[in-house]
Amino acid sequence: MPERMCIVTRVVRDEAELVRFVRSPDGDVVPDLARKLPGRGVWVTLARVTVMEAIAKGLFSRGFKAQSKAAPDLADRLGVLLRGQVVSHLSLARKAGAALAGTFKVDEAMRRGPVRLLLHAKGAGADGIAKLDRLAGPRTAICGFVTPDDLDLAFGRTNVVHAAVADGGLAERLLYHVARLARYENYEFKAIGSEDER
């Protein structure tokens, strides 16, 4: 990926490790997760604390070379957008038949393999997590920071606690977004076998 400089740390990083912001005609700072919005962009390291520092120090105005308004809740809004990308891609995987949910179905999938991503909702029982984690293959990444609401929304039903995503292109795309959310919120996560590893 191309490299850009963070306006806060002044460190040059791959675009995958940054988030792009643009300035609206009204001067508002807008996240551009797809990196496609027109106009001059500035880049910030993909970390909540770094975005908050950019807001607190008025660095967006300096980066855009024009007075810019960064909403006080910009870091929170960005977190919601990143989480929404995870839910959206997980939902897409479900619709394509690459993702399934439910302890019994996930257990079966883990035994049959290959499972690329295993997800546990926050607050899931330790015994259930340990049982499924033991079945993880060498390329199975494990995510334990999605919320019950995230999984319910992605699968279109309630009380989803565990989910599995089969190996393939959809799983890799989902992993990319899971890794970006983890990086932003400083969650523990390692996308095993992926280029974007924590």
Side-chain angles (χ1 to χ4, degrees), residues 51-82:
V51 173
M52 291 173 66
E53 185 177 347
I55 297 167
K57 293 183 175 179
L59 297 179
F60 286 108
S61 293
R62 186 185 304 169
F64 287 120
K65 295 181 171 51
Q67 188 62 38
S68 305
K69 296 173 285 184
D73 66 346
L74 180 62
D76 291 333
R77 284 172 31 212
L78 180 55
V80 169
L81 291 172
L82 290 165

Side-chain angles (χ1 to χ4, degrees), residues 83-125:
R83 188 171 292 277
Q85 287 188 317
V86 170
V87 172
S88 175
H89 281 80
L90 181 55
S91 178
L92 185 62
R94 173 188 63 84
K95 290 171 184 172
L100 48 80
T103 304
F104 180 74
K105 287 183 178 179
V106 171
D107 185 292
E108 267 194 334
M110 297 291 288
R111 293 177 190 278
R112 189 173 61 244
V115 167
R116 186 69 176 95
L117 178 61
L118 173 62
L119 302 108
H120 307 296
K122 274 185 180 177

Side-chain angles (χ1 to χ4, degrees), residues 30-193:
V30 180
D32 178 21
L33 296 185
R35 303 188 284 270
K36 292 181 179 177
L37 292 177
R40 175 189 174 87
V42 299
W43 299 80
V44 177
T45 299
L46 188 63
R48 176 182 285 272
V49 293
T50 313
V51 173
M52 291 173 66
E53 185 177 347
I55 297 167
K57 293 183 175 179
L59 297 179
F60 286 108
S61 293
R62 186 185 304 169
F64 287 120
K65 295 181 171 51
Q67 188 62 38
S68 305
K69 296 173 285 184
D73 66 346
L74 180 62
D76 291 333
R77 284 172 31 212
L78 180 55
V80 169
L81 291 172
L82 290 165
R83 188 171 292 277
Q85 287 188 317
V86 170
V87 172
S88 175
H89 281 80
L90 181 55
S91 178
L92 185 62
R94 173 188 63 84
K95 290 171 184 172
L100 48 80
T103 304
F104 180 74
K105 287 183 178 179
V106 171
D107 185 292
E108 267 194 334
M110 297 291 288
R111 293 177 190 278
R112 189 173 61 244
V115 167
R116 186 69 176 95
L117 178 61
L118 173 62
L119 302 108
H120 307 296
K122 274 185 180 177
D127 289 346
I129 290 174
K131 179 184 174 184
L132 293 173
D133 284 358
R134 280 195 296 271
L135 299 174
R139 271 181 46 81
T140 303
I142 301 171
C143 170
F145 55 80
V146 289
T147 68
D149 287 345
D150 292 336
L151 292 180
D152 289 354
L153 189 57
F155 283 90
R157 59 188 179 87
T158 57
N159 301 317
V160 178
V161 179
H162 306 286
V165 184
D167 209 344
L170 287 173
E172 293 303 325
R173 192 66 189 154
L174 173 58
L175 269 172
Y176 170 79
H177 291 292
V178 170
R180 279 176 64 81
L181 176 61
R183 185 184 296 276
Y184 182 72
E185 299 290 9
N186 199 30
Y187 294 139
E188 184 177 342
F189 179 71
K190 183 174 182 181
I192 299 167

